[in-house]
């Protein structure tokens, strides 16, 4: 089998959906499972819906209507017959969204977030499945929540691999072209969970692992994996080949083209991963596999914006040793801070974190009980793999460097 994943940018409008059909017709879709993200910026729009539910109730219905309108425009462009059953199907899905807010009793933002966000993928795959059928590409729509089971760590759920393997092996009919949602799973109570932003790539890898697939292809709006994000860096270059190990390093440091968890299950079974352009499907793109040398061997740049640099020192000038560091990391874990850089000396400890769950004030308040604490918000973390001095100079130019850390292959800089 082969697994195809199409991201939101590839199906952001009716032309994108039609182009997806063109890609499938060019590259073939025999023995294929397709994983699809929410259309365009739908996830962002649904995040606003969730926020309005808690903070701005008077705008809740308006923000839901914006999402409905966006998808209705795509429907009208794809289906000439307004009596097509797809219109009622999509209306029913959005009715379920509105009903959730009327019946929900949970005050937990993370729970509500996951129940809300998942509608983006449910709608996108329903529209695309119906359109594929209408143009003669018969397919089977799957609810991924019936296959991928997780714990209840909402917004970043962990896979129950044994149960997921059992469900996929037992219930997925490989003789059909199947289409399903990325990013989503369900917990033991059948509530929707999500795998983290950009988790659709991970979904594709989960299915590939459980189905012993031959390959995974991620279709994107770039020609493949680039050595830098073209939104932030000029003259980004295509990487033709990357090893699993190098790709995992790039993903760990925040390369947005690949989800950090995607590569681990693929490496376990040596399943090849291709990243290709949905605009130019005939081009080779990037191949990621075992024992593949980076080609070409050039510096790779990664930037993570809106980070927080926290600097700690002991109140009595005593050493910061294992006991202190253990306590610090216990608090970082408790407040769900994703740690990206660590640097320590005898009496100081610095950590650059991603404040995803907006727990910074609580964390700092807790730390101040034992440490002198300083924090810099809205800093940028730059990582350069296979750096040279020219690459470092390029990043440092015109910036204040707050922290710098070098190893043999990697340099990281926190800048303001």
């Amino acid at each position: 089998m082969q697994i195809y994943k199409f991201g939101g940018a590839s199906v952001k409008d009716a032309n994108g959906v039609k182009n997806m059909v063109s890609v499938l017709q060019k590259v073939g879709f025999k023995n294929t499972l397709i994983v699809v993200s929410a259309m365009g910026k739908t996830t962002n729009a649904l995040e606003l819906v969730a926020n309005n539910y808690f903070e701005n109730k008077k705008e809740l219905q308006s923000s839901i209507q914006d999402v409905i309108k966006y998808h209705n425009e795509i429907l009208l462009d794809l289906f000439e017959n307004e009596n097509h059953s797809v219109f009622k199907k999509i209306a029913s899905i959005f009715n379920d969204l509105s009903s959730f807010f009327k019946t929900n009793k949970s005050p937990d933002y993370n729970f509500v977030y996951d129940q809300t966000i998942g509608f983006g993928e449910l709608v996108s795959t329903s529209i695309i499945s119906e359109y594929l059928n209408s143009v003669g590409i018969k397919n089977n729509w799957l609810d991924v929540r019936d296959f991928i089971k997780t714990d209840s760590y909402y917004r970043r759920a962990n896979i129950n691999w044994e149960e997921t393997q059992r469900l996929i092996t037992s219930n997925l009919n490989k003789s059909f072209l199947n289409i399903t949602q990325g990013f989503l799973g369900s917990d033991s109570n059948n509530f929707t969970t999500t795998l983290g932003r950009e988790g659709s790539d991970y979904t594709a890898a989960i299915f590939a692992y459980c189905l012993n697939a031959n390959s995974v292809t991620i279709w994107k709006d770039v020609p493949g994996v680039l050595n830098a994000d073209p939104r932030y860096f000029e003259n980004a270059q295509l990487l033709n080949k990357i090893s699993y190990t190098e790709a995992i390093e790039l993903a760990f440091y925040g390369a947005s083209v690949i989800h950090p968890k995607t590569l681990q299950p693929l490496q376990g079974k040596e399943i090849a991963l291709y990243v290709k352009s949905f605009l130019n499907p005939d081009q080779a793109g990037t191949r990621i596999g075992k024992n593949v040398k980076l080609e070409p061997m050039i510096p790779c740049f990664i930037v993570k914006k809106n980070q927080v640099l926290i600097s700690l020192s002991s109140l009595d000038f005593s050493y910061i040793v294992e006991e202190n560091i253990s306590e610090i990391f216990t608090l970082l874990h408790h407040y769900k801070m994703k740690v990206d850089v660590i640097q320590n000396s005898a009496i100081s400890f610095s950590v650059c974190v991603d404040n995803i769950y907006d727990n910074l004030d609580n964390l700092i308040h807790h730390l101040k009980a034992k440490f002198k604490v300083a924090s810099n918000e809205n800093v940028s973390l730059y990582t350069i793999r296979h750096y040279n001095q020219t690459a470092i100079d390029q990043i440092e130019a015109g910036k204040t460097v707050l922290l710098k850390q070098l190893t043999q292959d990697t340099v990281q800089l926190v800048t303001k």
Side-chain angles (χ1 to χ4, degrees):
M1 285 197 73
Q2 57 185 350
I3 312 296
Y4 289 161
K5 181 263 176 172
F6 288 87
S10 66
V11 291
K12 65 181 180 181
D13 53 26
N15 287 334
V17 176
K18 292 173 182 177
N19 182 68
M20 177 181 172
V21 171
S22 176
V23 170
L24 292 175
Q25 290 170 336
K26 281 184 180 179
V27 301
F29 48 86
K30 186 178 180 181
N31 299 325
T32 299
L33 181 141
I34 301 172
V35 175
V36 184
S37 302
M39 292 173 153
K41 300 295 184 182
T42 298
T43 300
N44 292 340
L46 287 170
E47 283 182 340
L48 177 60
V49 170
N51 290 338
N52 284 341
Y53 174 73
F54 284 100
E55 300 174 7
N56 193 5
K57 280 275 201 313
K58 65 181 182 181
E59 295 295 329
L60 176 61
Q61 288 305 316
S62 174
S63 56
I64 294 174
Q65 285 302 315
D66 287 341
V67 179
I68 294 173
K69 180 182 177 184
Y70 169 69
H71 288 88
N72 279 343
E73 289 174 355
I74 294 174
L75 283 170
L76 290 169
D77 286 340
L78 288 175
F79 299 92
E80 294 181 4
N81 181 7
E82 294 187 27
N83 293 319
H84 193 288
S85 60
V86 69
F87 287 91
K88 286 186 178 179
K89 181 180 292 187
I90 301 307
S92 176
I93 294 172
F94 281 121
N95 283 337
D96 289 343
L97 174 61
S98 296
S99 296
F100 166 74
F101 291 116
K102 293 175 183 176
T103 59
N104 174 62
K105 303 298 183 185
S106 174
D108 182 355
Y109 175 85
N110 297 319
F111 170 79
V112 172
Y113 179 99
D114 275 10
Q115 308 321 301
T116 305
I117 293 297
F119 281 91
E121 280 73 15
L122 295 172
V123 171
S124 69
T125 51
S126 296
I127 292 173
I128 291 167
S129 175
E130 291 287 349
Y131 184 72
L132 290 176
N133 281 325
S134 74
V135 296
I137 300 178
K138 300 304 177 185
N139 68 93
N140 184 37
W141 183 90
L142 304 176
D143 188 332
V144 74
R145 297 171 297 180
D146 295 334
F147 295 88
I148 294 182
K149 304 302 288 187
T150 74
D151 61 12
S152 298
Y153 197 119
Y154 297 110
R155 296 182 67 189
R156 202 166 66 205
N158 300 294
I159 304 298
N160 181 333
W161 281 98
E162 183 177 346
E163 182 67 3
T164 298
Q165 177 74 74
R166 184 187 69 79
L167 290 169
I168 290 175
T169 302
S170 303
N171 300 327
L172 193 144
N173 188 336
K174 294 189 283 188
S175 64
F176 287 100
L177 169 64
N178 291 293
I179 180 169
T180 195
Q181 307 78 39
F183 183 48
L184 308 181
S186 67
D187 63 15
S188 58
N189 294 312
N190 292 322
F191 288 119
T192 302
T193 57
T194 63
L195 309 180
R197 288 297 298 265
E198 309 303 328
S200 294
D201 293 358
Y202 188 30
T203 303
I206 293 166
F207 275 103
Y209 181 89
C210 293
L211 292 167
N212 294 311
N214 182 57
S215 65
V216 173
T217 302
I218 299 173
W219 297 97
K220 300 187 76 72
D221 56 352
V222 290
V225 179
L226 306 178
N227 76 320
D229 189 329
R231 294 175 298 175
Y232 304 116
F233 300 91
E234 296 180 359
N235 304 316
Q237 292 180 246
L238 176 67
L239 301 174
N240 302 315
K241 297 178 182 178
I242 314 175
S243 68
Y244 290 124
T245 302
E246 182 64 35
I248 287 170
E249 291 282 359
L250 291 172
F252 172 79
Y253 289 117
S256 60
V257 76
I258 306 168
H259 189 271
K261 293 181 179 178
T262 298
L263 295 151
Q264 292 162 344
L266 300 181
Q267 185 181 26
K269 291 191 176 179
E270 298 183 14
I271 299 169
L273 172 64
Y274 297 90
V275 181
K276 302 179 71 172
S277 167
F278 60 74
L279 299 174
N280 298 290
D282 295 329
Q283 294 181 356
T286 301
R287 180 181 182 272
I288 302 170
K290 184 180 179 182
N291 298 327
V292 178
K293 289 187 177 181
L294 183 64
E295 179 191 307
M297 180 60 75
I298 54 176
C300 298
F301 299 86
I302 302 155
V303 61
K304 298 183 78 172
K305 303 279 190 178
N306 302 316
Q307 304 291 290
V308 182
L309 180 64
I310 302 172
S311 300
L312 310 175
S313 57
S314 53
L315 293 171
D316 58 0
F317 296 100
S318 60
Y319 292 149
I320 292 185
V321 291
E322 290 83 355
E323 181 181 347
N324 308 111
I325 294 172
S326 174
E327 184 175 1
I328 292 165
F329 271 93
T330 297
L331 290 173
L332 290 168
H333 175 73
H334 176 74
Y335 289 110
K336 299 181 179 180
M337 293 289 178
K338 186 179 183 304
V339 177
D340 293 312
V341 179
I342 306 161
Q343 190 175 87
N344 69 289
S345 66
I347 60 171
S348 68
F349 182 93
S350 295
V351 58
C352 189
V353 299
D354 200 346
N355 184 27
I356 300 171
Y357 291 88
D358 198 24
N359 287 328
L360 180 64
D361 290 343
N362 292 330
L363 170 65
I364 290 177
H365 178 75
H366 208 143
L367 288 169
K368 282 183 175 179
K370 283 202 171 183
F371 303 96
K372 182 180 178 181
V373 183
S375 65
N376 277 285
E377 298 184 45
N378 298 316
V379 300
S380 295
L381 169 61
Y382 289 90
T383 302
I384 313 173
R385 290 279 295 168
H386 312 293
Y387 62 89
N388 54 38
Q389 191 57 50
T390 301
I392 294 174
D393 292 344
Q394 177 184 333
I395 297 302
E396 292 183 344
K399 302 180 184 73
T400 300
V401 178
L402 304 175
L403 181 149
K404 185 174 182 178
Q405 189 162 270
L406 292 88
T407 62
Q408 183 175 352
D409 293 317
T410 307
V411 60
Q412 291 189 283
L413 304 101
V414 177
T415 71
K416 191 73 174 178

